[in-house]
Amino acid sequence: MEKEILFSKEAIAGRVRELAAEITRDCAGRDLVVIGILKGAFVFMADLIRAIEIPCTVDFTQLASYGSGTVSTGSIVIKKDIGIDIEGKDVLVVEDIVDTGLTLDFLVKTLRERNPRSLKVCVFLDKKMRRKVPFTADYTGFAIDDGFVVGYGLDCNEQDRSLPAVYVIKE
Ligand code: IMP
Ligand code: MG
């Protein structure tokens, strides 16, 4: 598949530093638990937590909304739950991309029922125009237009997650 670069490695690194600085300021003194959504968020989360200058614990959850390819099915299930108790904790959910909003809307509602002290969401990419349910992240790396993107953890049929830059797939 043909692809075109959207965000270079350097542009990503710069933006991650800015996000981490914001989070460091906002969460100083907090008992921070960073929860990554597998698999897409693992690259972004690895860079982000190393740039956040406060101690944190990490965990992962895996949800399914996309069967395969580039078309959303709409229904969401927990494939892997977190293994820690978040009651009274300051939670930061980290996701690769918010598209329809269904995944994060579901996860945020699910995690809120467990009574964290606070819950914020940091997304690397945001396709604002494609929402099916309203959702606004607390921290956003880049807002992008419609179009399927890969790299920096994001995949197309499990391919291209290891690319260090972000590319948009050409039709
Ligand atoms: P949502 O529930 O529609 O917001 O979908 C979010 C999930 O869809 C993300 O976690 C991604 O795994 C996947 N996704 C949406 N758009 C893209 C894309 O352009 N590239 C790769 N994955 C995407
Ligand atoms: Mg995902």
Side-chain angles (χ1 to χ4, degrees):
M1 262 179 299
E2 232 193 299
K3 39 190 181 268
E4 193 174 86
I5 193 150
L6 191 57
F7 300 113
S8 68
K9 215 167 115 168
E10 293 74 22
I12 294 168
R15 188 67 189 119
V16 169
R17 275 197 299 275
E18 290 174 356
L19 289 171
E22 248 188 278
I23 295 166
T24 300
R25 270 198 310 275
D26 296 352
C27 300
R30 298 296 180 101
D31 210 353
L32 194 61
V33 180
V34 182
I35 300 176
I37 308 182
L38 294 170
K39 301 175 196 170
F42 83 106
V43 176
F44 174 47
M45 178 160 151
D47 285 344
L48 189 69
I49 59 168
R50 285 178 293 174
I52 294 175
E53 291 172 4
I54 44 181
C56 63
T57 56
V58 299
D59 205 344
F60 292 93
T61 185
Q62 188 166 21
L63 306 163
S65 62
Y66 274 59
S68 63
T70 60
V71 183
S72 175
T73 58
S75 61
I76 300 180
V77 290
I78 296 186
K79 280 171 79 177
K80 180 213 173 293
D81 202 350
I82 51 170
I84 51 171
D85 185 4
I86 58 167
E87 183 160 356
K89 300 284 172 62
D90 295 290
V91 172
L92 179 69
V93 171
V94 177
E95 172 64 315
D96 55 357
I97 185 165
V98 51
D99 182 24
T100 64
L102 290 165
T103 304
L104 279 167
D105 178 68
F106 168 84
L107 183 65
V108 164
K109 283 176 180 156
T110 304
L111 294 179
R112 278 202 199 288
E113 286 169 10
R114 302 179 189 181
N115 302 314
R117 183 159 90 129
S118 66
L119 197 164
K120 287 185 174 182
V121 178
C122 178
V123 299
F124 175 56
L125 300 175
D126 188 347
K127 287 186 193 170
K128 284 203 166 66
M129 281 156 37
R130 291 194 20 107
R131 289 293 193 285
K132 286 186 182 156
V133 291
F135 180 84
T136 308
D138 299 278
Y139 306 97
T140 301
F142 301 99
I144 62 170
D145 295 330
D146 195 5
F148 207 79
V149 292
V150 295
Y152 200 63
L154 292 125
D155 74 306
C156 183
N157 287 329
E158 297 300 328
Q159 300 302 304
D160 292 338
R161 291 193 197 276
S162 61
L163 299 175
V166 170
Y167 299 81
V168 60
I169 289 179
K170 303 188 72 172
E171 302 293 313

